[in-house]
Amino acid sequence: MEQTPNAPVDESALNAAFEAKIAAGDSIEPKDWMPERYRKQLTRMMSQHAHSEIVGMLPEGNWITRAPSLRRKMSLIAKVQDEAGHGLYIYCGTETLGVDRYDLFNQLLDGTAKYSSIFNYPTLSWADMGVIGWLVDGAAIVNQTVLAKTSYGPYARAMVRICKEENFHKRQGYEICATLANGTPAQREMLQDAVNRFWWPSLMMFGPSDKDSPNSAELLRWRVKRKTNDELRQRFVNLTVPQAQAIGLTLPDPDLTFNTATKNWDFGEIDWAEFFEVIKGNGPCNKERLAARNKAHDDGRWVRDAATAYAEKQKARAKTEAA
Amino acid sequence: MSAAAAGHEDEPGIAAGEAAAGTRAVAGARRAPMGDPIVELLLRLGDDRLILGHRLSEVTGHGPILEEDIATANMALDLIGQAASMLRLAGETEGKGRDEDALAYFRDAVQFRNCLLVEQPNGDFGQLMVRQFLFDAYSVLLLDELSRASHAGISAIAVKALKEAKYHLRHSSEWVVRLGDGTEESHARVQRALDALWRFTGELFVADEVDAAAAAKGAAVDLAGIQSRWNAMVDEVLTRATLTRPADAAMQRGGRSGRHTEHLGHLLATMQIVARSHPGATW
């Protein structure tokens, strides 16, 4: 039967049905009609998330070969492996929106896609492995716990699963920190230095302040986001300060004080100039991270070509045998 | 004239009269005396897996495809996990208070007992996979025999490790076939890797006094039998991969007695740096 490609569609009726679903708190599924803008926003968020998992393998991968005990070495390999799995899982989730993961991947490689700014900071000591688990995964969990209730079904379900593993990573990271905190003076110094370097970049993980976050209102209305950047950032600070106190760490912010009226930990101003520089590609490791991803991709080309060629040969052989 | 330039005659240790008088014992055994054969065997088994696992872990996050990053990390995890239980048992059997971390992080290259094959650098993905395949085939056969050992500790470890090794072998042999029978370039690369690594395979099957003594203590392996089965296994995969088996020319050996290639020292320098910088610390 002939399809009429440009059959007039009553978008306003479809849109009304979509908005009704959102209002009722139902989830939007891949086959449901959705406004292009919703699809675009979800694609942007999910692909950025997937890219972050993939690039996030690099700073921790940097310490696998130097992990100071076999148990730590194994848990670090497992953590980086989980990140690869999360990346793969979210890329597949993004494909339900009608994009191809290879196109997304190419956007990462050519530098047009964004990923979490935190991974553009270098890992300089073993303590960074503890602090990344504790602060970076901790911040990710605050974000993702809320995303697990996002309106797009496949993303929400991915977040439920990923959050479980991230919680494990966070506990593991905090345990490394606690061990170092109870260790030798050199270990304690190493830990405090790592906290000094990663505290502010961790706060930046929640994105720009609400007043500079252009997408927020729309995303909140569609229940893509459930909380604003600043709300999530505050929740993270409130959760983290007591954890730092428990192991005797100082957080590098002289303005950090408990506000008895709001019951929040007030904190100092984030260096937004630094944040936007990193986002623009001028962070300490942006170039290195992209170069590493591109090198892996380029070095692997002959392997992927071989796998394709072999699969085609096998198909041809099967056909000959069947004939 | 400085003292150093004055010549050997002035150095007490080499003075002819003293040597003749026999005050210094110079003539020693050709080889260091063998320790407990079970400890030696466990060090060989554990070090093979620790070093290969470490090599694989070097590429975590840098693989040709995401799925392969996951698979390589998985093999690294299995191998290091196996190494940890083997080295733990080695330390317990030795009875000098060394645990798996003391053995992994506080021995020098010459004290490692791994075969030369596993310490060879990763090279390209073809070399990494050929190294893996040659080792996996050996490992499956070896662990299969050890899983029936009367030494309870060793057989328990071997039973568990064997399951994992079979998966590794399936994975690495599939890749060798895929790369060998893939494109012209992949074929050439993987053949080159095979040719380069082949000289390290002979060592795997050389039985020595440790094997004989370990057999007497309940951990017998028939390396000659393993070799013939390994040959058949490797030939079968190489044929499917359209690769040419290299001639068994001069084989390199020495890993089992601590005579390694220069690569191992660099690997250990990286692996041990943090642990050795903080002796006595817990992590």
Side-chain angles (χ1 to χ4, degrees):
Chain A
M1 198 178 84
E2 281 278 301
Q3 293 277 336
T4 38
N6 295 318
V9 178
D10 185 1
E11 285 234 347
S12 64
L14 290 169
N15 198 45
F18 170 84
E19 292 287 352
K21 255 190 193 168
I22 293 280
D26 291 346
S27 72
I28 306 298
E29 294 300 327
K31 289 204 169 96
D32 295 342
W33 184 91
M34 62 189 86
E36 261 327 288
R37 176 99 185 124
Y38 179 88
R39 188 184 298 276
K40 225 178 181 161
Q41 289 283 21
L42 251 309
T43 308
R44 180 183 63 84
M45 281 177 69
M46 290 177 76
S47 59
Q48 280 181 14
H49 190 162
H51 298 327
S52 301
E53 298 281 356
I54 301 307
V55 179
M57 296 168 75
L58 297 169
E60 288 174 295
N62 182 37
W63 280 86
I64 287 177
T65 55
R66 290 173 289 175
S69 76
L70 295 182
R71 184 170 79 95
R72 293 296 184 204
K73 194 184 190 72
M74 285 190 275
S75 46
L76 189 56
I77 296 172
K79 180 172 193 266
V80 176
Q81 185 191 33
D82 282 347
E83 284 155 10
H86 296 170
L88 199 54
Y89 195 49
I90 305 171
Y91 278 128
C92 293
T94 318
E95 286 186 322
T96 64
L97 291 160
V99 287
D100 190 309
R101 83 150 143 143
Y102 295 98
D103 294 336
L104 299 175
F105 210 68
N106 282 329
Q107 291 166 11
L108 172 64
L109 295 175
D110 69 23
T112 51
K114 289 202 170 70
Y115 55 86
S116 183
S117 55
I118 193 82
F119 301 119
N120 291 313
Y121 290 86
T123 50
L124 301 179
S125 77
W126 170 252
D128 292 17
M129 298 304 101
V131 169
I132 287 180
W134 171 38
L135 296 181
V136 176
D137 289 73
I141 290 165
V142 169
N143 258 327
Q144 291 168 13
T145 309
V146 181
L147 280 174
K149 294 176 210 128
T150 191
S151 57
Y152 189 56
Y155 197 23
R157 290 188 289 274
M159 283 309 103
V160 171
R161 189 171 133 176
I162 287 171
C163 264
K164 280 186 197 150
E165 292 185 351
E166 301 284 21
N167 267 305
F168 178 71
H169 295 162
K170 189 205 159 180
R171 269 207 307 278
Q172 203 169 269
Y174 189 65
E175 198 230 316
I176 292 176
C177 293
T179 306
L180 295 175
N182 288 315
T184 64
Q187 285 177 305
R188 280 200 293 278
E189 195 182 317
M190 186 194 287
L191 174 64
Q192 183 62 56
D193 174 66
V195 171
N196 294 348
R197 284 182 285 111
F198 276 98
W199 172 252
W200 289 105
S202 301
L203 296 190
M204 294 177 196
M205 284 177 68
F206 296 93
S209 156
D210 292 348
K211 60 183 191 311
D212 299 314
S213 184
N215 298 317
S216 274
E218 186 182 48
L219 293 174
L220 285 164
R221 189 172 64 78
W222 277 335
R223 290 191 303 105
V224 173
K225 282 171 99 164
R226 309 298 304 263
K227 302 263 180 206
T228 71
N229 294 353
D230 287 336
E231 284 171 335
L232 292 170
R233 190 167 9 244
Q234 184 66 59
R235 178 185 289 194
F236 172 71
V237 172
N238 290 352
L239 284 169
T240 309
V241 171
Q243 293 165 359
Q245 287 172 326
I247 53 174
L249 284 168
T250 310
L251 295 172
D253 179 1
D255 297 327
L256 199 62
T257 40
F258 189 70
N259 184 325
T260 48
T262 62
K263 306 277 183 236
N264 284 326
W265 281 91
D266 292 339
F267 52 94
E269 187 63 19
I270 287 169
D271 182 350
W272 292 114
E274 175 181 322
F275 173 76
F276 287 110
E277 275 302 298
V278 178
I279 293 286
K280 268 197 295 188
N282 300 326
C285 289
N286 293 59
K287 303 264 184 303
E288 286 80 356
R289 300 300 182 229
L290 272 195
R293 285 313 323 162
N294 275 288
K295 183 175 188 311
H297 189 75
D298 294 344
D299 288 352
R301 183 166 292 118
W302 70 271
V303 178
R304 296 189 298 275
D305 289 347
T308 311
Y310 178 74
E312 276 163 13
K313 283 186 198 177
Q314 287 296 89
K315 225 189 278 168
R317 280 172 200 149
K319 223 182 239 171
T320 321
E321 271 172 35
Chain B
M1 200 198 285
S2 74
H8 290 296
E9 281 76 8
D10 294 339
E11 291 176 31
I14 300 177
E18 225 178 307
T23 54
R24 287 271 200 283
V26 174
R30 278 180 185 263
R31 276 180 228 156
M34 179 181 52
D36 182 321
I38 293 295
V39 174
E40 277 293 312
L41 178 68
L42 284 164
L43 289 179
R44 291 175 178 190
L45 291 165
D47 289 348
D48 276 355
R49 285 153 187 83
L50 173 61
I51 300 303
L52 185 56
H54 181 93
R55 278 286 187 229
L56 291 176
S57 81
E58 290 173 350
V59 299
T60 312
H62 303 275
I65 46 169
L66 212 39
E67 285 85 346
E68 197 48 39
D69 264 330
I70 297 174
T72 312
N74 225 37
M75 294 196 290
L77 276 175
D78 287 345
L79 288 165
I80 296 171
Q82 293 167 14
S85 35
M86 288 159 176
L87 294 179
R88 192 177 312 127
L89 185 57
E92 284 165 12
T93 311
E94 183 191 53
K96 290 182 187 162
R98 294 200 286 182
D99 62 7
E100 63 271 31
D101 285 332
L103 288 167
Y105 290 96
F106 292 91
R107 277 184 299 154
D108 293 334
V110 293
Q111 294 164 320
F112 272 75
R113 293 291 177 263
N114 59 281
C115 59
L116 304 176
L117 176 67
V118 295
E119 70 199 33
Q120 299 312 304
N122 289 322
D124 66 12
F125 183 75
Q127 182 161 320
L128 179 147
M129 238 356 128
V130 168
R131 184 188 63 200
Q132 191 65 34
F133 165 65
L134 297 173
F135 179 81
D136 288 342
Y138 157 75
S139 180
V140 162
L141 296 167
L142 184 71
L143 292 169
D144 183 52
E145 294 217 355
L146 288 173
S147 67
R148 294 188 299 271
S150 61
H151 189 290
I154 289 179
S155 69
I157 291 173
V159 166
K160 185 174 177 288
L162 178 61
K163 284 185 204 150
E164 296 167 346
K166 283 180 177 170
Y167 277 110
H168 301 179
L169 175 62
R170 197 166 74 189
H171 188 74
S172 60
S173 52
E174 276 172 7
W175 267 113
V176 167
V177 171
R178 220 175 271 144
L179 297 175
D181 191 19
T183 62
E184 219 170 285
E185 182 185 2
S186 70
H187 180 88
R189 279 177 183 262
V190 84
Q191 181 69 54
R192 204 152 54 224
L194 185 65
D195 294 344
L197 291 172
W198 194 254
R199 69 183 189 279
F200 301 112
T201 57
E203 176 184 47
L204 303 174
F205 311 107
V206 178
D208 62 10
E209 71 278 10
V210 169
D211 297 293
K217 287 197 155 192
V221 283
D222 167 21
L223 284 172
I226 287 178
Q227 184 167 25
S228 69
R229 273 172 283 150
W230 183 86
N231 276 325
M233 224 175 201
V234 167
D235 285 344
E236 191 265 331
V237 171
L238 294 187
T239 305
R240 278 201 287 138
T242 71
L243 292 166
T244 310
R245 181 191 167 108
D248 286 328
M251 289 289 180
Q252 296 296 319
R253 56 182 286 202
R256 301 305 187 203
S257 54
R259 268 43 164 186
H260 291 278
T261 59
E262 290 176 346
H263 301 297
L264 183 63
H266 296 279
L267 182 155
L268 294 179
T270 304
M271 186 175 99
Q272 298 175 335
I273 177 71
V274 178
R276 289 214 184 190
S277 302
H278 303 267
T282 48
W283 300 98

